[in-house]
């Protein structure tokens, strides 16, 4: 699945379905694969897709086990890359970075 497809699935999932999906994505190593995308230069579209997925997976409203996603994100040094997006001139990027 592409990042846009995963993002759409997360947007549409609710309740238990969202939790099952997030757990499967965590177990598949998605978080560890998304973090390096945040460090790429000139890949704003990919970075926005990654930020959207990460924001949804880190949200307690989407996944009651979001703390597990946050822990993986932290261990993968994701927060080090996230900060730059909070100061982006692109408003959509800032919104996605804020989760």
């Amino acid at each position: 699945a592409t990042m846009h497809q995963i993002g759409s699935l997360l947007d549409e999932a609710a309740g238990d379905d969202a939790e099952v999906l997030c757990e499967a994505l965590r177990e598949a190593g998605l978080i560890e694969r998304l973090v390096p995308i945040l460090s790429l230069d000139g890949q704003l579209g990919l970075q926005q897709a990654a930020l959207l997925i990460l924001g949804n997976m880190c949200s307690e409203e989407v996944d009651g086990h979001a703390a597990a996603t946050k822990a993986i994100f932290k261990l993968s040094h994701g927060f080090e890359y996230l900060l730059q997006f909070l100061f982006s001139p692109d408003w959509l990027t800032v919104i996605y970075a804020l989760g």
Side-chain angles (χ1 to χ4, degrees), residues 39-68:
S39 69
L40 299 175
D41 289 329
Q43 298 295 321
L44 186 59
L46 284 176
Q47 291 168 324
Q48 286 177 337
L51 289 168
L52 180 60
I53 292 168
L54 291 164
N56 280 326
M57 291 183 68
C58 287
S59 169
E60 295 288 334
E61 291 182 23
V62 175
D63 181 12
H65 304 285

Side-chain angles (χ1 to χ4, degrees), residues 66-85:
T69 298
K70 293 174 189 174
I72 296 167
F73 187 69
K74 183 177 181 180
L75 287 173
S76 301
H77 306 285
F79 288 107
E80 296 171 20
Y81 298 112
L82 184 63
L83 187 60
Q84 67 179 326
F85 296 105

Side-chain angles (χ1 to χ4, degrees), residues 6-21:
I6 293 169
S8 293
L9 286 172
L10 283 168
D11 280 342
E12 295 170 9
D16 290 342
D17 291 340
E19 288 192 9
V20 169
L21 177 58

Side-chain angles (χ1 to χ4, degrees), residues 44 47-48 83-95 97:
L44 186 59
Q47 291 168 324
Q48 286 177 337
L83 187 60
Q84 67 179 326
F85 296 105
L86 297 176
F87 300 98
S88 173
D90 183 274
W91 66 271
L92 188 60
T93 301
V94 174
I95 290 171

